[in-house]
Amino acid sequence: MRMSRLFSQTLREAPAEAEVTSHRLLLRAGYIRQLAAGIFSYLPLAHRSMTKIENIMREEINAIGGQEMTMPVVHPADLWKDSGRWYKIGSEMGRFVEKAGRDMVLAMTHEEVIADLARREVRSYRQLPALPYHIQTKWRDDPRPRAGLIRAREFTMLDTYSLDTDEEGLDRQYRAHHQAFANIFNRCALPTISVGADVGIMGGSLAHEFMYLTPIGEDTLVLCDSCGYSANRQVAAFRKAVEGEGSPPLPLEKVHTPGITTIEALANFLSVPQSHTAKAVFMVASIPEGQGLVERFVLAIVRGDMEMNETKLAGAVGASDLRPAREEEILAVGARPGYGSPIGVRGALVVIDDLVARTPNLVGGANEVEYHYLNTNYGRDYNADIVADIVSASEGDPCPRCGAPVRLADAVEVGNIFKLGTHFSESLGALYLDRDGKQRPVVMGSYGIGVGRLLACVAEEHNDERGLVLPITVAPFQVHLVSLAGPSTQAAESAELLYGLLQAQGIEVLYDDREESPGVKFADADLIGVPLRITIGERSLGRGGVEFKRRSSTEMRIVPVEAAAGEAEAEVRALTAEVMARVQPVPYTG
């Protein structure tokens, strides 16, 4: 590709809305352009990089038995109603009504469609296992798109769907995907770890997320360096120490606490540790019921020194969504903001953390302005509808496996795998005949990687102060040929000849043939981030040939013109081998 014909241009400055490094550099280097919030055009450079990523995905999924296909972006809502997700998913789902009056859905994911296909295509156990997959556009109307391609509303994903006769077969395919996904990320030179995760709207029995550790990540991981425990903080467990366990309940005592509305202020006022207090959190949960959602007021109680975990709470009550309760909703159940507890509350779904249930004599709200109770005890002073783990692990908490202190790390989720089980197949009637002629539901798994998000994370990982430094497996071109020659010179002729020779050898070349200054050309080459730069001009020829420089290095060397094509091929092989050396077996913990 000649840069004089390339349909994009570099920018000296990124737009003000570009808040993270990958977003700024992909804009400045001419890879992407933003059309609207979370919606992007992928220009030729990005398209080439994403095609490379997609081909890596194809190779790895084909290697474990995948069969590529394409499923529609637009779905009849009836499928989503049959699965129940039409009623569970809120405004993030793109819904519209076609001309005939039928409800339709813009695809967020394709479990319903693949279950419908399995219902139509799979008859016998002899047709299983199967692994159809596609790479397709998705729409999720995220209310907070941010960080460029890392959190977009329209995006492209690899989706693979395993179909099996039993859980044993699902486990084999799940493990195969765990390794295949690790291979994909390693071939893109992106360091990731897999962690246990929440099943969310996908449902099922088990999920793992592949995480790229980065300060810009919105997910928080809980990691143990002693035993290797890892989990998303949304679901991570930790060992909970009960203070005063076994102590006898003391008499309930109401105390005046004027102007005290926070746990910190309460603990200071009463001269007690925050761990001796009980914190009330008021939420409203949207809970699927029949063919719709009902709202329930939820009063959650956690120890005062801990943070309530919304994901765990949603799982405990079976909610598809949670929102903070409004003041009038809190007052309607007999509670008081700043002074809340389950004591005397009516009509609330009361959920308490399992540590609160085991901790005696906590200070709690009296549901009366400016008053708290000393010595509240679960089972004596109040009861709960649900007792569950509903708090988040914090830095230094004991690991659930070995007891060593855990640490927290920010990360971006770049891939996920789910054991779906039989929910979708049972909901949509995807059944097969087993060896005994009995009908059984197909056992399903779902596995996904965002293509654009993966590119953004690679850009976030591989850059310096001058621009992108992309790995050769992801870079849009393997070689950036920079001509510093004027027209009708020996150097210009040599540059054209070398461009042809490199292409003839199958090397992907971006050829800067523009009439720009050397400074502009070098700055653009650094910004675009192609891994190998070859420079040819009168000065390099005077030194004996052409100049070779890796984007990741400051070292330059001169290669004779007649050897340049062969040397470039060797460099491409070496750069590729360096990336491929990262592909190793990874440990799997179910």
Side-chain angles (χ1 to χ4, degrees):
M1 169 60 68
R2 295 175 182 270
M3 284 193 71
S4 60
R5 307 300 303 162
L6 183 64
F7 186 68
S8 74
Q9 58 181 333
T10 57
L11 307 175
R12 298 279 72 85
E13 299 291 338
E17 67 269 16
E19 55 191 339
V20 300
T21 299
S22 59
H23 191 189
R24 290 194 296 269
L25 291 179
L26 289 171
L27 283 168
R28 287 189 57 212
Y31 281 68
I32 62 174
R33 292 291 183 259
Q34 185 164 321
L35 179 64
I39 303 173
F40 294 87
S41 294
Y42 301 88
L43 301 185
L45 294 177
H47 182 78
R48 291 181 64 95
S49 287
M50 291 177 68
T51 298
K52 287 190 172 185
I53 292 171
E54 290 170 7
N55 286 337
I56 289 171
M57 292 173 170
R58 289 184 174 97
E59 290 174 12
E60 292 296 336
I61 301 304
N62 289 345
I64 61 172
Q67 300 179 66
E68 187 170 9
M69 59 182 295
T70 303
M71 289 177 276
V73 176
V74 176
H75 306 168
D78 290 345
L79 294 178
W80 291 73
K81 292 175 181 178
D82 288 344
S83 73
R85 292 205 290 183
W86 172 266
Y87 311 104
K88 296 179 181 179
I89 300 173
S91 60
E92 289 188 1
M93 178 183 283
R95 308 168 197 250
F96 67 98
V97 179
E98 66 176 357
K99 289 182 178 180
R102 189 181 188 187
D103 288 328
M104 305 295 285
V105 171
L106 291 177
M108 302 174 69
T109 181
H110 283 76
E111 283 74 23
E112 282 80 2
V113 176
I114 201 69
D116 178 67
L117 286 170
R119 170 173 61 186
R120 300 166 187 264
E121 304 299 326
V122 176
R123 295 288 178 265
S124 166
Y125 72 93
R126 294 186 179 88
Q127 296 171 266
L128 301 174
L131 182 57
Y133 75 95
H134 71 166
I135 300 172
Q136 179 60 291
T137 302
K138 304 294 180 69
W139 172 261
R140 186 168 297 157
D141 198 2
D142 194 315
R144 296 185 299 115
R146 60 172 292 275
L149 304 185
I150 287 177
R151 189 162 175 170
R153 293 193 293 163
E154 181 183 294
F155 51 94
T156 301
M157 282 196 71
L158 162 73
D159 291 315
T160 81
Y161 297 98
S162 61
L163 309 174
D164 283 278
T165 58
D166 53 29
E167 288 290 333
E168 185 178 346
L170 171 59
D171 189 61
R172 283 193 296 269
Q173 298 222 55
Y174 193 87
R175 289 171 178 265
H177 277 85
H178 189 270
Q179 181 64 55
F181 275 31
N183 293 349
I184 289 167
F185 299 128
N186 283 327
R187 289 179 63 178
C188 293
L190 185 71
T192 61
I193 61 172
S194 69
V195 302
D198 178 43
V199 297
I201 65 168
M202 305 293 284
S205 60
L206 183 67
H208 283 80
E209 294 169 334
F210 286 82
M211 292 291 196
Y212 163 55
L213 299 179
T214 170
I216 71 166
E218 288 193 323
D219 283 279
T220 301
L221 306 185
V222 176
L223 307 172
C224 178
D225 296 324
S226 294
C227 71
Y229 174 79
S230 61
N232 193 307
R233 195 177 185 218
Q234 293 175 332
V235 299
F238 63 99
R239 293 186 185 179
K240 296 178 178 178
V242 180
E243 297 190 14
E245 187 171 22
S247 299
L250 299 176
L252 192 66
E253 179 183 350
K254 184 186 287 188
V255 294
H256 188 217
T257 52
I260 304 300
T261 59
T262 68
I263 290 295
E264 182 180 6
L266 179 65
N268 290 336
F269 182 79
L270 296 175
S271 299
V272 298
Q274 293 186 27
S275 59
H276 288 193
T277 67
K279 177 167 55 181
V281 183
F282 305 110
M283 306 294 290
V284 173
S286 297
I287 301 175
E289 187 174 293
Q291 292 189 341
L293 294 172
V294 296
E295 286 196 334
R296 289 290 308 276
F297 185 94
V298 176
L299 171 55
I301 303 295
V302 301
R303 209 170 71 178
D305 60 331
M306 294 187 173
E307 178 184 341
M308 195 271 289
N309 184 312
E310 287 196 17
T311 300
K312 290 182 179 180
L313 179 62
V317 302
S320 62
D321 191 31
L322 290 170
R323 64 168 175 83
R326 296 185 289 269
E327 183 174 1
E328 62 269 23
E329 293 171 319
I330 298 171
L331 296 176
V333 300
R336 292 295 181 271
Y339 302 92
S341 78
I343 298 174
V345 166
R346 308 171 306 277
L349 181 61
V350 178
V351 184
I352 70 169
D353 184 65
D354 54 3
L355 182 58
V356 171
R358 294 183 288 135
T359 305
N361 304 318
L362 292 173
V363 178
N367 286 320
E368 183 179 341
V369 174
E370 296 195 339
Y371 284 90
H372 284 82
Y373 280 122
L374 304 182
N375 308 319
T376 68
N377 285 267
Y378 170 68
R380 183 193 70 180
D381 305 311
Y382 63 91
N383 290 300
D385 299 287
I386 299 172
V387 177
D389 172 21
I390 58 168
V391 294
S392 297
S394 298
E395 187 85 24
D397 280 339
C399 171
R401 287 183 185 164
C402 70
V406 299
R407 63 182 175 92
L408 304 185
D410 294 328
V412 171
E413 176 199 337
V414 289
N416 49 51
I417 57 179
F418 297 90
K419 284 188 173 181
L420 298 178
T422 60
H423 168 73
F424 290 95
S425 51
E426 289 176 337
S427 299
L428 286 104
L431 309 175
Y432 72 94
L433 293 177
D434 67 9
R435 293 176 183 273
D436 299 322
K438 295 180 180 179
Q439 278 197 331
R440 299 188 183 278
V442 174
V443 182
M444 295 176 57
S446 175
Y447 320 85
I449 299 175
V451 182
R453 180 179 289 190
L454 178 49
L455 173 61
C457 288
V458 171
E460 198 71 36
E461 175 73 9
H462 297 280
N463 65 78
D464 61 19
E465 68 280 1
R466 298 187 304 278
L468 298 168
V469 190
L470 296 179
I472 196 165
T473 50
V474 173
F477 295 91
Q478 297 166 324
V479 171
H480 197 143
L481 176 61
V482 177
S483 173
L484 303 182
S488 304
T489 63
Q490 179 186 356
E493 293 176 2
S494 298
E496 290 287 338
L497 178 62
L498 181 55
Y499 178 48
L501 288 173
L502 292 171
Q503 289 182 303
Q505 291 188 189
I507 295 174
E508 302 160 358
V509 189
L510 180 59
Y511 176 29
D512 195 343
D513 61 336
R514 299 173 300 165
E515 295 182 6
E516 296 283 359
S517 69
V520 168
K521 291 190 174 188
F522 289 146
D524 283 350
D526 284 342
L527 189 56
I528 292 169
V530 172
L532 178 62
R533 190 183 79 197
I534 301 176
T535 305
I536 185 167
E538 301 298 337
R539 180 177 296 181
S540 71
L541 292 177
R543 294 173 59 196
V546 299
E547 183 182 274
F548 272 56
K549 178 185 177 298
R550 288 191 178 191
R551 175 64 181 84
S552 59
S553 173
T554 58
E555 295 182 3
M556 304 177 187
R557 59 192 177 94
I558 297 295
V559 175
V561 175
E562 61 274 13
E567 186 64 20
E569 188 177 25
E571 277 283 336
V572 167
R573 286 198 304 269
L575 286 162
T576 303
E578 289 173 11
V579 175
M580 293 303 294
R582 303 167 66 109
V583 179
Q584 301 287 339
V586 296
Y588 167 79
T589 54

